[in-house]
Amino acid sequence: MKKIVCLIVLSMILASAEAQVSVRRTSRKTEKTEKAVATQATHTPVAVAQEKPEQPAVVAEQPAVVRKTTAAEKKKAASRTQANIEGMSLRRQLFEQNQPQVSYANRWQRVIYRELDLTKDVNAVLYYPEEPTDGLTNMFSILFDAFVKGNLKAYEYIDGRELLDEAHQVKVQDVLETHGIDPSDVPCYQVLSYYIKEQWDFDRNTSQYDSHIVAICPILHRQGEFGGITRYPLFWLRYDELRPFIIDRLVMSSGINTAVRYSIDDFFTLAKYEGEIYKVQNPRGLTLMQQYPDEAQLKAKREEIENELKNFGKTIWVPQEQKAETQAAAETTTAPSTETEPSAEAKRQQTGNNDKRRSVRRNRRTKEVLQ
């Protein structure tokens, strides 16, 4: 009986000991967990503090990527932004950038084609002398020599239009064979006329109205097989390309004073020539003779075009203001002939007229007429 009691007491003691050990283990785990949590709480700001400097490093790398962008990419991005702002596509924007900057809204232009007859006295300076004499040379000898030597480009003559580009550039040998010309015998005496392309411009920005020669075409006149004269236009020449060869070539300006001479370039620049208009640039490309077969109508139309070109500059001023100024000037010159000294009323009237005239002059302005 005593043994049984002893065993029971011993088992109870062992159970209590194991319970204490388990409690201690649990408390230790709890302490470790609390220490770990406390350690994490204390080290978290340090970790954040260490991570904060890393963020600017990432941000600092972004400009480096931007700096590596090529100029083409920047231009493309700028074009895309501009296109979005203006409401145009990128393709349209690039197309507009590559176009020549020409403002046709501020220009008035008219292209005239004339035929210069060298048998007329005013144009004879381009024909004579037929052979170089006294330091003078006719125009065709100069331009043909430059063309044969390859120093001057010539372009194909096409009836109804002229294309002054490389695709229509003619070769020297082709011209010589087509027209049967011997380079050693220049047919200056057969070139009796020229076609010229004349351009008239009025620029609204500068208020300048002037004309200049764009191109020139020499024309051969040869006797036909069955009689009559047949004309053969040779080729077109750009005047800007021809100008260096004629700018210092002198011609006789007068038959009265042979000592006065000027260059062939001055002859064209100062418009010393006279030529009949045979065509005005139009969408259909028709000549005046095709549009006006009747001789009387053709002559009337030529005179009308000449008057339009000459009188265009006069239509710039406003007619009403010119009339008011003329009227004011007339009123100021009107004075009583019977009075030796103007009265007070006349003085007041004259003062008012002077003020009116000054006001008209002050308000006068140019206005372009594009009828």
Side-chain angles (χ1 to χ4, degrees), residues 1 72 177 337:
M1 188 67 180
E177 292 178 357
S337 58

Side-chain angles (χ1 to χ4, degrees), residues 109-113 162 197 279-286:
Q109 183 182 102
R110 198 169 191 183
V111 178
I112 305 295
Y113 295 84
E162 65 284 343
K197 182 179 180 181
K279 180 182 175 181
V280 178
Q281 193 175 60
N282 57 87
R284 300 173 62 188
L286 299 178

Side-chain angles (χ1 to χ4, degrees), residues 1-22:
M1 188 67 180
K2 290 181 180 180
K3 291 180 180 180
I4 294 171
V5 173
C6 290
L7 290 172
I8 293 172
V9 172
L10 183 60
S11 61
M12 293 175 63
I13 293 171
L14 292 173
S16 61
E18 289 177 357
Q20 291 178 359
V21 171
S22 62

Side-chain angles (χ1 to χ4, degrees), residues 16 41 54 76 84 92 125 129 140 157 170 177 179 217 229 250 269 297 363:
S16 61
E54 294 178 357
K76 187 176 181 180
N84 292 335
R92 178 66 180 178
V125 295
F140 184 73
Y157 177 84
V170 296
E177 292 178 357
H179 300 283
C217 174
I229 301 298
L250 300 180
T269 303
Q297 292 181 353
N363 295 330

Side-chain angles (χ1 to χ4, degrees), residues 1 13 24 52 73 79 85 91 97 125 127 145 188 193-194 221 267 300 322 335 339 342:
M1 188 67 180
I13 293 171
R24 289 178 182 178
K52 285 182 179 180
E73 293 176 350
S79 301
I85 293 175
R91 180 181 298 177
Q97 291 177 357
V125 295
Y127 181 78
D145 181 67
C188 299
S193 61
Y194 286 92
H221 291 240
F267 178 78
Q322 288 184 346
E339 297 182 3

Side-chain angles (χ1 to χ4, degrees), residues 107-364:
R107 293 183 63 186
W108 180 92
Q109 183 182 102
R110 198 169 191 183
V111 178
I112 305 295
Y113 295 84
R114 298 179 184 270
E115 182 178 0
L116 306 185
D117 186 359
L118 302 189
T119 60
K120 294 183 177 180
D121 293 340
V122 67
N123 300 325
V125 295
L126 302 179
Y127 181 78
Y128 295 99
E130 297 181 13
E131 298 293 336
T133 304
D134 193 20
L136 302 178
T137 308
N138 61 54
M139 180 175 169
F140 184 73
S141 297
I142 299 171
L143 65 87
F144 191 76
D145 181 67
F147 170 64
V148 171
K149 292 181 179 179
N151 299 326
L152 183 62
K153 297 179 181 179
Y155 304 91
E156 181 182 3
Y157 177 84
I158 303 176
D159 191 16
R161 56 178 179 158
E162 65 284 343
L163 301 174
L164 309 180
D165 52 18
E166 295 183 0
H168 295 82
Q169 185 175 343
V170 296
K171 298 180 180 179
V172 177
Q173 193 63 30
D174 294 340
V175 174
L176 298 179
E177 292 178 357
T178 301
H179 300 283
I181 299 175
D182 186 0
S184 61
D185 184 16
V186 182
C188 299
Y189 60 94
Q190 294 181 349
V191 179
L192 297 177
S193 61
Y194 286 92
Y195 287 149
I196 64 171
K197 182 179 180 181
E198 187 182 67
Q199 181 172 312
W200 292 74
D201 291 288
F202 175 77
D203 193 339
R204 184 188 302 175
N205 296 328
T206 59
S207 297
Q208 292 183 351
Y209 177 61
D210 200 1
S211 65
H212 64 277
I213 305 299
V214 178
I216 295 179
C217 174
I219 306 172
L220 288 176
H221 291 240
R222 288 178 174 175
Q223 189 75 26
E225 296 181 357
F226 304 98
I229 301 298
T230 304
R231 300 188 302 177
Y232 300 93
L234 293 179
F235 41 70
W236 282 105
L237 300 170
R238 288 183 181 271
Y239 186 78
D240 292 340
E241 298 175 355
L242 174 63
R243 189 170 182 268
F245 300 96
I246 61 176
I247 194 172
D248 57 350
R249 297 302 184 98
L250 300 180
V251 293
M252 194 178 301
S253 62
S254 173
I256 300 176
N257 184 4
T258 58
V260 178
R261 301 180 179 183
Y262 51 77
S263 67
I264 300 178
D265 179 59
D266 293 334
F267 178 78
F268 286 105
T269 303
L270 300 176
K272 297 293 185 180
Y273 55 85
E274 288 183 3
E276 288 187 346
I277 300 174
Y278 72 91
K279 180 182 175 181
V280 178
Q281 193 175 60
N282 57 87
R284 300 173 62 188
L286 299 178
T287 62
L288 293 181
M289 188 173 294
Q290 291 174 330
Q291 299 180 38
Y292 306 96
D294 184 67
E295 185 66 25
Q297 292 181 353
L298 179 61
K299 184 178 179 180
K301 186 60 179 179
R302 285 174 175 170
E303 294 178 354
E304 179 184 349
I305 296 173
E306 293 284 4
N307 293 330
E308 289 174 356
L309 294 175
K310 293 179 181 179
N311 298 329
F312 178 80
K314 299 179 181 179
T315 60
I316 297 175
W317 301 98
V318 182
Q320 291 80 359
E321 294 183 356
Q322 288 184 346
K323 183 177 180 181
E325 182 181 2
T326 304
Q327 183 179 359
E331 292 176 354
T332 56
T333 57
T334 304
S337 58
T338 57
E339 297 182 3
T340 58
E341 183 179 354
S343 61
E345 182 66 24
K347 288 182 179 181
R348 285 195 297 269
Q349 185 177 1
Q350 185 176 1
T351 302
N353 292 335
N354 291 337
D355 294 338
K356 183 179 180 181
R357 183 178 59 183
R358 284 194 295 269
S359 177
V360 170
R361 287 181 176 178
R362 186 168 52 251
N363 295 330
R364 187 173 58 185

